[in-house]
C-alpha cells in the first residue's frame, strides 16, 4: 500500500512533537507555551540536547537563527579565537527594550559614573551576562546556553515574559571555543550507540593536551586579569562597555561530586579590597534561589566548603571588582555521555539540566533583586573615588628607562582594565582616586598576611612585578598628560645606513624577536660579552652586556641589502638600532674584540605529550610563537626515542613526570647535551635532571633532626588537608639576586629581579662559583603566601637559576617559571637568553 504523502508528513511531525515534548518535559518544565515559529535546539540540530556534544559553530549558527527569527534577540561578535572561531554574545530582552538598547545602556552607565546620582534603580532593566564553558572539556554549560536562549526567546509563559521585560540578558555560549571543540570532537568520536559508562572507556579519557585550555594551552579562567589571549581581550572590551550587574561562570568538577554554587569558602573569599557586602549580603540573597530550584528537580549540591575568589583573574572574581556579582557554578562531570559514579550513572543531559536550572534561577534572582544590585554597583563605584588606600598613597609611579616596549606592554594592560594612567617626564603615574581604584590596588599592592593559607590558585597578582617595573607609592602627585592609547608610545629614531656596523640594544623586550628576524635572513649577529661606549650617528652612547652587533663587511650580502633588513627589523619590532662608522670604542671593548661572540641561531625543540605540564609547555610555545616569531618543534614524547636530536641545538623540558624516558633515553639526552648543545629545564624538569643524576647538582633538603627520640605530635584527622595544603606553594613573588655579567643576565640593569614561584623545587646553589646565576635574596618575599618552613628552610638558602655542564654542553636549570601564564615580561628575558645565548655559555672551572 502506498502511504499518503501528507499522512506520512503528519506522522513524522507527530513523532517530532512527541520527542520535543519529552525533551521539554525534562529540561523546559513549566516554560510552555513556546512560539512555534522558533525552532528548539533539537529542531535545529536534529538531535535532542545531551544526545551528543554540540560543536561551537553549530551553537553559533543556532543563536544566529534565533536572532534572525525573533525580535527578542540580537547577536554580536566580540572577537575571534586563535583558531578563528567566532566569539559571540546573544542579547535577549523584549523587542521594546532591544529597540531602545542604546538609551537603556546610557541609563545603566549613569549608575557606574561616580559623578552622577540617579535613583531610578528599578526602572532600568538589570544587565545579566550568562557566561558559559570557559573550560572546553566542561561541556554541559554550552548545551544549557542553547536551552536558556531558546527559553528566553521562545517562551510565552508569564514568568519568562517578566524576566525579559526586567532584564537584558547577554548570553556568551562558549568563552573557550577552541578548547570546547577539541573536547567535542573527542567525546563524539568515541560515543557508542550503546553508551559505555565505564570510566576506563576512551570516551572518558581525553588525549594530551585535553580540552580545558585554549589554543596555546592557557587556562582562560585565569586570564581575565592578565588579558593575554584574544578571547579575554575581546571579552574585556565588551565588559567595559556594558558593566553587567550579574555574571555567571559555569564549570564542571569530579564525576563523583554533586553541584556547587556560591557562597564559596568564606575566609579566602573575603578579598581585602572587596566590599564585604559582595560576599555577605549578595551571596545570601542569591543562594536560596539556587537551592530551591535544585531542590525542585531533586538535585544535590553543596556550598561554603571550597573554592575561593581571592585571585582576581577568574570569571567568578573579576566582575566582583567591577561592582557586579560574579557567580561560580560547578557541576559533577559526566565527561562523555554517561559515566559510572558511586551512586549509579551520571548522564550528560542530567549535567546540562542542572546548569540550565541555575541559569534560569540566576535570572529570577537578578530580576527580583534589581534595585539592590543596581544600588550596590553604584555604591561600589562611588566608594572607589572617596575611599582612601590603607597604604596612605594617592598614586603609584613606574617606568623603565631602558625598555619602552615593556613599559608599553604594561600600560596596555592598565588601559584594557580602564585604569587611568598619565605620563610625566619619563615616568608614568597611576592615581588611586579613580573609578578603577580597586584595579589599581590589584596591580600595585602586595600582601604577606593572609587570613587563609590554602589557596585554590595564585596568592600574588601585583602585575607591576610581573613586568619587572620599578615602582613606588606617592603621598601626592601631579598627574601630567593622560595616556589614552599605546599606539604611539614607543618612538625610536630611524636607523641610518652604515657601511661598517649596526648595534641593537639588548635592553628592549623586542630585541630577541629582532635578533631572530635578522638571523633568519641569513645575517651574522654578534653579542657583546662586555660593555662599551662608542660614537653612533646619534652621538656617543654606552652599550650594556648583550648588545647586538651586525658587522656589515663580514656578511655575504651587500651593504644595501643589510640596511634593508635592518630597517625592516626596526619597522617590525620598534627597537632602538644605531648606525656605527668606527670599530674604535670610547670606553670598553672595540667592535673587533673577541668579547663579541657570533651567535648561533637557535634550533629548538620542546618536549610535549603525556606526563608533561601542558600549561608550562604552552607558555613556551606561546612566547616564541606570538612574541619572538620563532618556530619551535613540539616533539611528542612518544616520538622521542626515534627522533634525531642532532637537528636541534636547544631542547626545552618543562615540569613533567618524564617516566617514559628510561635509562637508555636519558643516556641519549645526556650524549646529545655533551656535544655542546643546551638543555633548558623549567621547575619540575630541573628536579628531574637532578633526581636522574644527569647533572651533579642537588636539591635543598631540610637539615637532619639530631634528637632521635623526638615523638611525632598528634594532630586532628579532619585538619589534615588544611595542614598539608599550607605547605603548597600556590604562586608567590620573590626577589632574586642576578649576576648581570652572566649571559643569562644580559639585558637587565638591576641585580634585583622579581620572579614567580608556584612549585616546591628548591635547588642548592652550585659548588661551582660561576654557576649560580640567580639566588634568592636574603629577604626574598615580595608578594603572596608561603609557609614559614618553605621560606626559611628551603627558599632562602636556594638558587633560582643554575647552569651545570655536561661535556661540552650545559643544562640551564630554572627553579621557577619565567614564562608564567604569558605574563612575566620581566623574567621572559632569562628564558630567551637561555635560548639565544645558551650555546655560548661555558662553565669556567676554578681551582679551589
Ligand atoms: Zn572549570
Amino acid at each position: 500500500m502506498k502511504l499518503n504523502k501528507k499522512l506520512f508528513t503528519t506522522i513524522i511531525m507527530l513523532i517530532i512533537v512527541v520527542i520535543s515534548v519529552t525533551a521539554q518535559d525534562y529540561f523546559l518544565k513549566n516554560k510552555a507555551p513556546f512560539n512555534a515559529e522558533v525552532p528548539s535546539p533539537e529542531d535545529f540540530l536534529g538531535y535532542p540536547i545531551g544526545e551528543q556534544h554540540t560543536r561551537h559553530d553549530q551553537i553559533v549558527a543556532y543563536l544566529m537563527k534565533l536572532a534572525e527569527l525573533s525580535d527578542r534577540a540580537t547577536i554580536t561578535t566580540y572577537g575571534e579565537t586563535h583558531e578563528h572561531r567566532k566569539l559571540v554574545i546573544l542579547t535577549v530582552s523584549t523587542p521594546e527594550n532591544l529597540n531602545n538598547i542604546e538609551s537603556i545602556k546610557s541609563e545603566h552607565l549613569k549608575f557606574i559614573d561616580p559623578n552622577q546620582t540617579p535613583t531610578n534603580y528599578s526602572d532600568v532593566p538589570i544587565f545579566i551576562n550568562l557566561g558559559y564553558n570557559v573550560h572546553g572539556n566542561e561541556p554541559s554549560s554550552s548545551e544549557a546556553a542553547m536551552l536558556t536562549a531558546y527559553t528566553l526567546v521562545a517562551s510565552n509563559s508569564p514568568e519568562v515574559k517578566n524576566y525579559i521585560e526586567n532584564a537584558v540578558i547577554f548570553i556568551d555560549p562558549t568563552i573557550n571555543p577552541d578548547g570546547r571543540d577539541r573536547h567535542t570532537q573527542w567525546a563524539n568520536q568515541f560515543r557508542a550507540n550503546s553508551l559505555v559508562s565505564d570510566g576506563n572507556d576512551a570516551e572518558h579519557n581525553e588525549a594530551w593536551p585535553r580540552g580545558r585550555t585554549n589554543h596555546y594551552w592557557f587556562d582562560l579562567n585565569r586570564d581575565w586579569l592578565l588579558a593575554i589571549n584574544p578571547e579575554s581581550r575581546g571579552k574585556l572590551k565588551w565588559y567595559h562597555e556594558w558593566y553587567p550587574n550579574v555574571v555567571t561562570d559555569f564549570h564542571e568538577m569530579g564525576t563523583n561530586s554533586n553541584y556547587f554554587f556560591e557562597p564559596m569558602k568564606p575566609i579566602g573569599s573575603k578579598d581585602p579590597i572587596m566590599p564585604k557586602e559582595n560576599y555577605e549580603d549578595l551571596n545570601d540573597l542569591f543562594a536560596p534561589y539556587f537551592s530551591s530550584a535544585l531542590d525542585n528537580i531533586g538535585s544535590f549540591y553543596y556550598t561554603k566548603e571550597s573554592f575561593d575568589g581571592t585571585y582576581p583573574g577568574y570569571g567568578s572574581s573579576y566582575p566582583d571588582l567591577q561592582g557586579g556579582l560574579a557567580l561560580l557554578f560547578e557541576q559533577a562531570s559526566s565527561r562523555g555521555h554517561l559515566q559510572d559514579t558511586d551512586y549509579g550513572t551520571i548522564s550528560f543531559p542530567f549535567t546540562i539540566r542542572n546548569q540550565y536550572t541555575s541559569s534560569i534561577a540566576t535570572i529570577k534572582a537578578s530580576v527580583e533583586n534589581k534595585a539592590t544590585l543596581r544600588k550596590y554597583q553604584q555604591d561600589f563605584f562611588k566608594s572607589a573615588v572617596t575611599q582612601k588606600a590603607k597604604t596612605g598613597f594617592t598614586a603609584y609611579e613606574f617606568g623603565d628607562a631602558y625598555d619602552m616596549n615593556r613599559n608599553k606592554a604594561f600600560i596596555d594592560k592598565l588601559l584594557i582594565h580602564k585604569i587611568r594612567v598619565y605620563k610625566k617626564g619619563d615616568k608614568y603615574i597611576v592615581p588611586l582616586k579613580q573609578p578603577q581604584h580597586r584595579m589599581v590596588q590589584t596591580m600595585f599592592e602586595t600582601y604577606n598576611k593572609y587570613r587563609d593559607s590554602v589557596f585554590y590558585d595564585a596568592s600574588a597578582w601585583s602585575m607591576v612585578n610581573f613586568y619587572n617595573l620599578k615602582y613606588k607609592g606617592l603621598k601626592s602627585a601631579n598627574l601630567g598628560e593622560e595616556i589614552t592609547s599605546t599606539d604611539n608610545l614607543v618612538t625610536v629614531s630611524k636607523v641610518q645606513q652604515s657601511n661598517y656596523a649596526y648595534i641593537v640594544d639588548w635592553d628592549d623586550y623586542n630585541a630577541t624577536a629582532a635578533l631572530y628576524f635578522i638571523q633568519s635572513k641569513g645575517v651574522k649577529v654578534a653579542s657583546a660579552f662586555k660593555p662599551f661606549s662608542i660614537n653612533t650617528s646619534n652621538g656617543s652612547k654606552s652599550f650594556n652586556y648583550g648588545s647586538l652587533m651586525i658587522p656589515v663587511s663580514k656578511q655575504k650580502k651587500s651593504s644595501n641589502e643589510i640596511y634593508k633588513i635592518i630597517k625592516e627589523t626596526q619597522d617590525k619590532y620598534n627597537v632602538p638600532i644605531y648606525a656605527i662608522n668606527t670599530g674604535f670604542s670610547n670606553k670598553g671593548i672595540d667592535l673587533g674584540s673577541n668579547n663579541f661572540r657570533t651567535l648561533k641561531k637557535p634550533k629548538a625543540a620542546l618536549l610535549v605529550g603525556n606526563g608533561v605540564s601542558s600549561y608550562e609547555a604552552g607558555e613556551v610555545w606561546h612566547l616564541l610563537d606570538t612574541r619572538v616569531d620563532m618556530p619551535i618543534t613540539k616533539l611528542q614524547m612518544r616520538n622521542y626515542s626515534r627522533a634525531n636530536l642532532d637537528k636541534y641545538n636547544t631542547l626545552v623540558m618543562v615540569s613533567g613526570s618524564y617516566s617514559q624516558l628510561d635509562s637508555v633515553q636519558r643516556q641519549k639526552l645526556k650524549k646529545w647535551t655533551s656535544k655542546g648543545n643546551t638543555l633548558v629545564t623549567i621547575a619540575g624538569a630541573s628536579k628531574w635532571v637532578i633526581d636522574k643524576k644527569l647533572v651533579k647538582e642537588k636539591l635543598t633538603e631540610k637539615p637532619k633532626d639530631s634528637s632521635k627520640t623526638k615523638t611525632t605530635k598528634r594532630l586532628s584527622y579532619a585538619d589534615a588537608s588544611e595542614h598539608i595544603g599550607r605547605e603548597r606553594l600556590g604562586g608567590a613573588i620573590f626577589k632574586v639576586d642576578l649576576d648581570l655579567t652572566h649571559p643569562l643576565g644580559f639585558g637587565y640593569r638591576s641585580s634585583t629581579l622579581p620572579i614567580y614561584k608556584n612549585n616546591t623545587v628548591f635547588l642548592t646553589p652550585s659548588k661551582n662559583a660561576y654557576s649560580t646565576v640567580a639566588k634568592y635574596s636574603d629577604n626574598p618575599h615580595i608578594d603572596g603566601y608561603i609557609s614559614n618552613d618553605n621560606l626559611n628552610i628551603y627558599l632562602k638558602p636556594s638558587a633560582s637559576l643554575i647552569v651545570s655542564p655536561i661535556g661540552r654542553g650545559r643544562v640551564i636549570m630554572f627553579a621557577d617559571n619565567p614564562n608564567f601564564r604569558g605574563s612575566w615580561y620581566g623574567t621572559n628575558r632569562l628564558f630567551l637568553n637561555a635560548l639565544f645565548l645558551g650555546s655560548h655559555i661555558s662553565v669556567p672551572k676554578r681551582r679551589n
Side-chain angles (χ1 to χ4, degrees):
M1 196 185 83
K2 236 182 167 183
L3 192 64
N4 177 305
K5 205 176 168 190
K6 205 170 169 186
L7 181 66
F8 180 77
T9 317
T10 314
I11 291 170
I12 294 296
M13 290 296 285
L14 271 173
I15 293 171
I16 290 174
V17 167
V18 170
I19 294 170
S20 304
V21 165
T22 321
Q24 287 184 5
D25 274 353
Y26 187 66
F27 293 113
L28 311 172
K29 245 186 192 170
N30 312 326
K31 299 293 184 290
F34 284 91
N35 178 351
E37 319 255 288
V38 178
S40 70
E42 179 178 339
D43 298 336
F44 184 82
L45 298 166
Y47 56 85
I49 285 289
E51 190 176 288
Q52 68 166 45
H53 288 60
T54 308
R55 288 194 324 263
H56 176 69
D57 63 300
Q58 293 173 296
I59 297 171
V60 172
Y62 178 60
L63 299 191
M64 284 185 161
K65 184 54 97 183
L66 294 183
E68 178 197 317
L69 294 178
S70 169
D71 51 6
R72 287 190 192 174
T74 60
I75 194 159
T76 47
T77 302
Y78 69 83
E80 206 181 73
T81 68
H82 290 288
E83 294 172 18
H84 299 293
R85 287 187 179 82
K86 276 194 171 78
L87 295 157
V88 300
I89 281 183
L90 185 80
T91 306
V92 191
S93 197
T94 60
E96 298 72 43
N97 286 342
L98 290 180
N99 278 333
N100 297 320
I101 193 69
E102 285 307 318
S103 73
I104 291 174
K105 182 182 173 187
S106 72
E107 288 296 310
H108 169 76
L109 293 179
K110 284 179 189 165
F111 291 96
I112 67 142
D113 179 352
N115 297 319
Q116 302 200 45
T117 313
T119 53
N120 53 336
Y121 302 110
S122 297
D123 297 348
V124 187
I126 199 83
F127 283 16
I128 307 166
N129 172 210
L130 300 177
Y132 297 95
N133 209 181
V134 65
H135 291 146
N137 60 2
E138 300 174 3
S140 55
S141 70
S142 289
E143 310 282 345
M146 287 188 283
L147 290 168
T148 306
Y150 174 63
T151 303
L152 296 172
V153 168
S155 167
N156 283 320
S157 72
E159 179 199 348
V160 171
K161 283 174 124 176
N162 177 46
Y163 294 159
I164 58 173
E165 258 160 46
N166 287 289
V168 180
I169 299 130
F170 302 94
I171 299 177
D172 183 345
T174 321
I175 298 171
N176 175 16
D178 291 350
R180 176 178 176 88
D181 276 359
R182 214 152 63 220
H183 176 263
T184 296
Q185 176 76 1
W186 184 271
N188 287 342
Q189 73 184 336
F190 285 108
R191 182 189 183 280
N193 284 328
S194 311
L195 294 178
V196 180
S197 59
D198 177 0
N200 289 331
D201 191 79
E203 181 186 339
H204 311 300
N205 296 281
E206 292 170 271
W208 199 97
R210 293 178 282 277
R212 175 185 175 92
T213 49
N214 79 346
H215 175 76
Y216 287 106
W217 317 329
F218 275 53
D219 187 335
L220 292 178
N221 195 33
R222 306 293 183 272
D223 202 41
W224 283 69
L225 175 70
L226 313 172
I228 298 297
N229 292 282
E231 294 91 342
S232 333
R233 295 175 71 89
K235 190 60 183 283
L236 286 163
K237 193 161 180 291
W238 177 89
Y239 200 99
H240 286 280
E241 200 183 321
W242 296 94
Y243 293 94
N245 300 89
V246 176
V247 180
T248 63
D249 194 23
F250 288 95
H251 292 261
E252 291 183 14
M253 55 184 168
T255 301
N256 266 314
S257 310
N258 285 297
Y259 197 79
F260 174 89
F261 57 84
E262 298 205 30
M264 299 176 181
K265 195 167 75 164
I267 307 171
S269 301
K270 289 181 183 171
D271 185 304
I273 62 172
M274 192 69 72
K276 67 176 190 335
E277 292 78 10
N278 180 292
Y279 184 84
E280 291 176 1
D281 303 344
L282 297 185
N283 278 327
D284 285 353
L285 210 55
F286 272 59
Y289 288 87
F290 303 128
S291 62
S292 84
L294 292 163
D295 288 343
N296 271 338
I297 55 169
S299 283
F300 280 74
Y301 49 82
Y302 78 100
T303 62
K304 302 181 285 283
E305 288 178 66
S306 57
F307 302 108
D308 68 71
T310 319
Y311 171 70
Y314 300 128
S316 58
S317 58
Y318 186 84
D320 290 334
L321 285 160
Q322 301 299 331
L325 174 64
L327 295 164
L328 173 73
F329 299 97
E330 294 269 357
Q331 164 64 48
S333 186
S334 59
R335 194 71 32 107
H337 298 85
L338 187 72
Q339 203 175 155
D340 296 336
T341 77
D342 294 346
Y343 282 108
T345 54
I346 182 170
S347 74
F348 192 35
F350 174 79
T351 66
I352 296 166
R353 186 172 65 160
N354 288 335
Q355 307 281 39
Y356 168 75
T357 302
S358 297
S359 301
I360 300 296
T362 299
I363 299 169
K364 181 175 161 68
S366 308
V367 164
E368 291 182 7
N369 295 285
K370 194 160 74 164
T372 308
L373 292 162
R374 224 189 214 104
K375 174 89 169 52
Y376 172 79
Q377 194 171 36
Q378 184 180 47
D379 291 346
F380 180 93
F381 282 106
K382 281 201 178 292
S383 68
V385 293
T386 53
Q387 191 176 68
K388 299 258 183 296
K390 282 194 185 116
T391 53
F393 298 139
T394 64
Y396 287 94
E397 177 192 278
F398 70 91
D400 189 284
Y402 299 99
D403 184 353
M404 282 308 293
N405 279 308
R406 195 153 38 87
N407 286 331
K408 180 189 170 182
F410 182 61
I411 293 167
D412 174 57
K413 289 296 124 78
L414 300 178
L415 295 181
I416 283 175
H417 295 294
K418 296 288 172 206
I419 295 171
R420 289 181 189 149
V421 53
Y422 299 80
K423 184 166 171 47
K424 199 172 149 241
D426 57 357
K427 294 286 179 201
Y428 303 94
I429 312 280
V430 180
L432 274 149
K433 188 177 174 179
Q434 58 170 305
Q436 292 296 343
H437 173 95
R438 292 178 184 88
M439 287 306 295
V440 179
Q441 290 183 290
T442 300
M443 295 283 170
F444 291 92
E445 282 185 3
T446 59
Y447 301 93
N448 55 15
K449 291 237 179 342
Y450 292 91
R451 279 172 290 195
D452 191 11
S453 46
V454 184
F455 286 89
Y456 186 65
D457 194 79
S459 66
W461 45 81
S462 50
M463 279 184 69
V464 68
N465 286 308
F466 294 22
Y467 287 74
N468 183 30
L469 291 168
K470 291 266 178 292
Y471 68 102
K472 62 178 183 193
L474 305 173
K475 299 276 179 191
S476 67
N478 297 320
L479 296 180
E481 195 188 330
E482 185 171 0
I483 299 173
T484 52
S485 154
T486 53
D487 287 351
N488 298 312
L489 205 64
V490 183
T491 47
V492 291
S493 48
K494 293 273 173 239
V495 60
Q496 306 290 309
Q497 184 163 2
S498 167
N499 291 321
Y500 195 78
Y502 298 97
I503 300 200
V504 184
D505 256 336
W506 195 238
D507 289 310
D508 195 281
Y509 187 79
N510 290 348
T512 48
L515 168 58
Y516 191 80
F517 184 77
I518 298 170
Q519 284 184 321
S520 61
K521 299 280 175 188
V523 176
K524 294 277 179 208
V525 184
S527 169
F529 274 47
K530 292 272 170 71
F532 60 99
S533 72
I534 199 161
N535 287 337
T536 73
S537 48
N538 305 20
S540 176
K541 189 175 153 46
S542 297
F543 291 97
N544 205 8
Y545 289 98
S547 300
L548 302 177
M549 193 264 292
I550 297 105
V552 176
S553 66
K554 284 170 166 287
Q555 311 286 346
K556 286 186 185 135
K557 294 177 193 298
S558 71
S559 169
N560 284 345
E561 284 172 308
I562 298 293
Y563 182 52
K564 200 172 155 249
I565 292 166
I566 293 296
K567 263 201 312 194
E568 222 182 315
T569 307
Q570 192 176 47
D571 288 344
K572 210 167 150 68
Y573 297 109
N574 236 346
V575 287
I577 305 182
Y578 302 88
I580 310 288
N581 293 311
T582 172
F584 192 76
S585 68
N586 301 328
K587 215 173 136 190
I589 57 172
D590 296 317
L591 300 198
S593 162
N594 278 341
N595 274 307
F596 276 99
R597 311 274 167 84
T598 314
L599 297 177
K600 274 189 197 157
K601 190 172 89 169
K603 282 178 282 178
L606 165 72
L607 286 185
V608 300
N610 273 346
V612 176
S613 160
S614 59
Y615 294 125
E616 287 181 19
E619 287 156 6
V620 169
W621 178 28
H622 175 265
L623 174 72
L624 297 177
D625 202 31
T626 68
R627 306 232 180 96
V628 188
D629 298 332
M630 172 185 145
I632 183 164
T633 300
K634 299 180 289 297
L635 180 58
Q636 299 263 31
M637 290 296 293
R638 63 170 190 264
N639 295 334
Y640 172 87
S641 62
R642 58 189 144 99
N644 173 14
L645 295 184
D646 291 334
K647 289 164 81 174
Y648 317 106
N649 56 25
T650 309
L651 186 69
V652 181
M653 291 174 73
V654 299
S655 296
S657 66
Y658 299 105
S659 51
Q660 302 98 314
L661 300 183
D662 60 15
S663 60
V664 175
Q665 301 312 328
R666 294 199 294 271
Q667 204 48 44
K668 176 177 175 175
L669 185 61
K670 200 168 176 175
K671 202 175 149 200
W672 169 84
T673 312
S674 68
K675 290 182 203 167
N677 294 309
T678 305
L679 177 62
V680 182
T681 59
I682 293 176
S686 301
K687 182 178 183 298
W688 182 82
V689 289
I690 292 174
D691 285 344
K692 298 299 174 194
K693 300 191 166 41
L694 289 172
V695 290
K696 289 178 188 145
E697 304 295 342
K698 281 188 188 153
L699 297 168
T700 306
E701 282 168 7
K702 198 171 183 168
K704 291 239 160 42
D705 201 332
S706 55
S707 58
K708 280 182 188 159
T709 53
K710 197 176 171 241
T711 50
T712 304
K713 194 176 142 201
R714 292 177 64 226
L715 296 167
S716 296
Y717 179 77
D719 296 337
S721 69
E722 287 286 310
H723 288 152
I724 292 162
R726 275 174 210 162
E727 296 307 318
R728 279 187 58 233
L729 220 168
I733 304 173
F734 302 99
K735 247 181 274 179
V736 299
D737 178 72
L738 178 67
D739 177 1
L740 298 176
T741 73
H742 194 281
L744 293 178
F746 287 2
Y748 290 93
R749 296 277 176 161
S750 162
S751 59
T752 303
L753 177 69
I755 57 91
Y756 189 79
K757 188 164 193 69
N758 61 342
N759 61 51
T760 47
V761 174
F762 298 105
L763 307 177
T764 305
S766 179
K767 280 194 171 159
N768 183 307
Y770 306 104
S771 281
T772 303
V773 184
K775 192 195 163 304
Y776 302 103
S777 313
D778 295 339
N779 191 8
H781 183 269
I782 295 179
D783 192 13
Y785 171 76
I786 181 169
S787 75
N788 280 332
D789 273 9
N790 276 337
L791 178 64
N792 295 309
I793 299 175
Y794 294 101
L795 187 95
K796 279 187 180 174
S798 294
S800 169
L801 177 56
I802 290 179
V803 184
S804 199
I806 297 184
R808 287 186 289 115
R810 78 284 309 152
V811 185
I812 298 175
M813 300 155 69
F814 288 87
D816 312 308
N817 183 355
N819 306 320
F820 185 65
R821 290 182 182 161
S823 299
W824 273 77
Y825 277 67
T827 48
N828 279 160
R829 174 54 60 90
L830 293 176
F831 176 76
L832 293 171
N833 279 343
L835 259 57
F836 283 92
L837 302 170
S839 297
H840 307 274
I841 295 171
S842 59
V843 181
K845 285 204 180 85
R846 186 182 67 170
R847 206 176 284 166
N848 285 311

